[in-house]
């Protein structure tokens, strides 16, 4: 090959990478707008359930319904993501969520809504989110250079943080000024941006083994589970993540009730606490984008998740007049979660082969969520028996201890080294 041909090939590769990155940010921008709309709806619905029921069981059931698609259907969705065109999967997912939201808005408009209607919306929206998130995460690896994935992870955490900052106070304001069906239609309007962004971008597909396409869904699902199970470090991380979710998800699902019953606050106070958490996530994501985390990515995951556990201990310990301290703890918990999640996702994107990412990511999400329904089922009665803060305190202690133990396991601490894969 001549120098001219080599230079032409380099320019062509550079142009291709530039186009892929531009396409990624087009999709990311459309999704960012949609995420904000969905967050407004989620805040409004959770507050509606809180005020109407004043029941920890109703709130934990709502969170349980949201988790079922990811836990039960997620692995099957992941298999099809690795088979189907991922752009189409994301479009179908956004359309499904919008259709369910419109249906609930109509029920609210005519005064026919029941709690089980809300649960159906939460289920449909969660299924759409599961499909979109798995397809988008798997596509990111093919659109973004490997050395930029950690910074993209930081950018995603900035988005989540910004959403948490804007959505709660905006949601609280909208609750006072609009009927809930009006808030639901805001979500539909923002979903249009996500669907539209996908119309103008080509999403690359991984090279596939044609024999894999002939295999049954069950066979491919089994292969993804074997991939995780035979990689000891990844299996241990998945097991610990499952237990962290067992404790963390119920704790945050009860936050609105803690504000309402323990701190004697209202929608505004809940909004400020969630906004503080969002500010923390934004700060953590920005820090990650500039700094990139420790050289060993797993160290950043451990430090970040450990900080979340410690701050949960604080929230679970403060008295009824300590809402300011609890709000500060929420801010630091947001920083920790941003660092842990941002680097953790980038780590998996680097380590897992591209043509298996759809099913493996979905299977990992399902495995991490597997214990959460049990946690939710126990959290309601546990909180009713021992107080609003009891689960938050116990969960914080448990998470801190488990995450500290990860540093002592070589297959986990050094998961990036080839001999530990």
């Amino acid at each position: 090959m001549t120098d001219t041909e080599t230079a032409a090939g380099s320019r062509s590769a550079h142009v291709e990478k530039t186009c892929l990155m531009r396409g990624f940010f087009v999709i990311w921008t459309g999704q960012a707008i949609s995420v904000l709309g969905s967050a407004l709806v989620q805040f409004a619905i959770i507050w509606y359930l809180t005020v109407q029921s004043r029941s920890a069981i109703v709130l934990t059931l709502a969170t349980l319904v949201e988790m079922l698609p990811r836990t039960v259907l997620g692995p099957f969705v992941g298999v099809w993501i690795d088979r189907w065109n991922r752009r189409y999967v994301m479009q179908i997912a956004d359309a499904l969520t919008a259709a369910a939201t419109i249906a609930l808005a109509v029920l609210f408009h005519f005064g026919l809504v029941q709690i089980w209607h809300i649960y159906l919306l939460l289920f449909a929206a969660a299924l759409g989110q599961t499909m979109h998130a798995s397809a988008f995460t798997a596509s990111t690896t093919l659109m973004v250079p490997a050395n930029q994935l950690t910074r993209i992870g930081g950018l995603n955490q900035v988005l989540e943080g910004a959403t948490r900052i804007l959505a709660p106070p905006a949601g609280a304001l909208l609750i006072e000024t609009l009927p809930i069906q009006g808030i639901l239609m805001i979500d539909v309007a923002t979903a249009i941006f996500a669907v539209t962004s996908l119309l103008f971008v080509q999403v690359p597909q991984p090279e596939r083994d044609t024999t894999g396409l002939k295999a049954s869904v069950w066979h491919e699902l089994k292969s993804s589970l074997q991939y995780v199970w035979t990689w000891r470090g990844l299996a241990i991380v998945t097991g610990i993540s499952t237990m962290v979710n067992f404790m963390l998800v119920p704790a945050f699902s009860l936050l609105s009730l803690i504000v309402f019953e323990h701190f004697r606050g209202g929608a505004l106070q809940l909004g400020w606490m969630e906004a503080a958490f969002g500010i923390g996530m934004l700060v953590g994501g920005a820090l990650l984008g500039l700094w990139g985390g420790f050289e060993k990515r797993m160290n950043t995951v451990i430090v970040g998740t450990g900080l979340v556990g410690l701050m949960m201990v604080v929230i679970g310990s403060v008295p009824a007049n300590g809402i300011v301290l609890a709000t500060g703890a929420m801010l630091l918990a947001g920083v920790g979660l941003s660092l842990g999640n941002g680097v953790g996702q980038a780590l998996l994107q680097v380590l897992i082969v591209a043509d298996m990412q759809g099913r493996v990511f979905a299977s990992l999400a399902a495995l991490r969520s597997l214990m959460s329904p049990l946690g939710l089922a126990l959290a309601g009665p546990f909180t009713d028996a021992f107080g609003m803060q009891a689960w938050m305190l116990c969960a914080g202690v448990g998470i801190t201890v488990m995450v500290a133990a990860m540093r002592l396991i070589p297959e986990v601490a050094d998961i990036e080294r080839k001999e530990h894969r």
Side-chain angles (χ1 to χ4, degrees):
M1 180 178 293
T2 66
D3 291 342
T4 301
E5 290 173 331
T6 301
S10 298
R11 285 195 297 271
S12 177
H14 176 73
V15 169
E16 183 179 2
K17 288 180 181 179
T18 301
C19 290
L20 288 173
M21 282 289 288
R22 186 181 298 116
F24 169 81
F25 281 112
V26 168
I27 299 174
W28 187 91
T29 301
Q31 185 61 23
I33 295 171
S34 180
V35 164
L36 178 58
S38 297
L40 292 173
V41 168
Q42 185 176 30
F43 182 90
I45 287 178
I46 292 301
W47 189 250
Y48 175 86
L49 291 175
T50 300
V51 173
Q52 293 296 318
S53 69
R54 300 192 179 190
S55 169
I57 294 176
V58 168
L59 292 174
T60 52
L61 278 175
T63 306
L64 174 61
V65 167
E66 285 187 293
M67 295 180 58
L68 283 176
R70 182 170 63 248
T71 304
V72 179
L73 302 178
F76 300 98
V77 169
V79 171
W80 288 111
I81 285 171
D82 284 336
R83 293 185 174 200
W84 292 345
N85 185 296
R86 290 172 177 174
R87 181 167 70 114
Y88 295 158
V89 171
M90 288 185 275
Q91 289 174 319
I92 292 170
D94 291 333
L96 172 64
T97 303
T101 305
I102 291 172
L104 187 63
V106 171
L107 291 173
F108 267 111
H109 177 73
F110 289 104
L112 300 174
V113 73
Q114 302 291 327
I115 287 179
W116 68 269
H117 293 144
I118 295 175
Y119 288 164
L120 282 179
L121 166 68
L122 294 175
F123 182 89
L127 177 59
Q129 289 165 4
T130 298
M131 294 170 61
H132 193 291
S134 297
F136 187 49
T137 302
S139 299
T140 300
T141 310
L142 300 174
M143 302 180 78
V144 176
N147 62 353
Q148 296 298 318
L149 287 173
T150 296
R151 287 182 166 80
I152 293 298
L155 180 62
N156 289 333
Q157 297 305 307
V158 168
L159 170 61
E160 186 168 352
T163 301
R164 288 178 178 271
I165 294 168
L166 296 173
L173 177 62
L174 289 172
I175 288 172
E176 300 296 329
T177 58
L178 286 178
I180 194 167
Q181 59 266 31
I183 301 174
L184 290 171
M185 293 310 296
I186 291 174
D187 187 24
V188 175
T190 57
I192 294 174
F193 285 92
V195 175
T196 303
S197 68
L198 289 161
L199 296 175
F200 304 102
V201 175
Q202 290 298 320
V203 178
Q205 305 298 307
E207 294 183 5
R208 296 181 174 91
D209 183 352
T210 55
T211 59
L213 295 176
K214 299 176 182 178
S216 69
V217 172
W218 282 106
H219 176 79
E220 292 200 50
L221 177 58
K222 181 180 177 182
S223 71
S224 67
L225 296 176
Q226 286 178 333
Y227 186 90
V228 175
W229 180 254
T230 56
W231 186 345
R232 189 166 184 266
L234 184 57
I236 293 172
V237 169
T238 302
I240 292 176
S241 298
T242 299
M243 292 305 300
V244 168
N245 276 19
F246 171 79
M247 300 175 185
L248 186 63
V249 172
F252 281 98
S253 73
L254 294 172
L255 182 62
S256 63
L257 205 58
I258 292 174
V259 171
F260 192 70
E261 297 287 348
H262 178 69
F263 293 119
R264 303 298 178 186
L268 183 61
Q269 285 71 33
L270 174 62
W272 281 117
M273 286 194 74
E274 293 196 357
F277 188 75
I279 292 172
M281 292 198 69
L282 192 152
V283 170
L287 178 62
L288 192 59
L290 295 172
W291 165 46
F294 295 113
E295 184 177 355
K296 283 187 177 180
R297 291 184 176 95
M298 184 54 68
N299 286 347
T300 309
V301 175
I302 291 172
V303 170
T305 310
L307 181 60
V308 174
L310 290 173
M311 292 305 101
M312 288 173 65
V313 171
V314 173
I315 298 169
S317 304
V318 296
N321 62 355
I323 191 170
V324 174
L325 179 58
T327 301
M330 284 291 288
L331 188 148
L332 291 178
V335 173
L337 192 66
S338 186
L339 294 175
N341 283 353
V343 176
Q345 187 63 61
L347 177 61
L348 293 177
Q349 288 173 320
V350 168
L351 296 178
I352 297 172
V353 294
D355 64 334
M356 289 193 68
Q357 286 192 5
R359 75 195 90 155
V360 172
F361 286 153
S363 295
L364 288 176
L367 289 169
R368 286 194 297 264
S369 301
L370 191 60
M371 291 296 288
S372 298
L374 179 58
L376 289 165
L378 294 176
F382 185 89
T383 300
D384 288 341
F386 298 103
M388 288 297 108
Q389 294 173 289
W391 187 275
M392 184 75 75
L393 175 60
C394 294
V397 172
I399 289 172
T400 304
V401 171
M402 285 192 300
V403 171
M406 292 172 67
R407 188 67 184 87
L408 305 177
I409 304 172
E411 292 88 347
V412 174
D414 298 323
I415 195 171
E416 295 171 80
R417 292 172 57 183
K418 290 184 178 180
E419 58 266 32
H420 288 294
R421 299 183 190 178

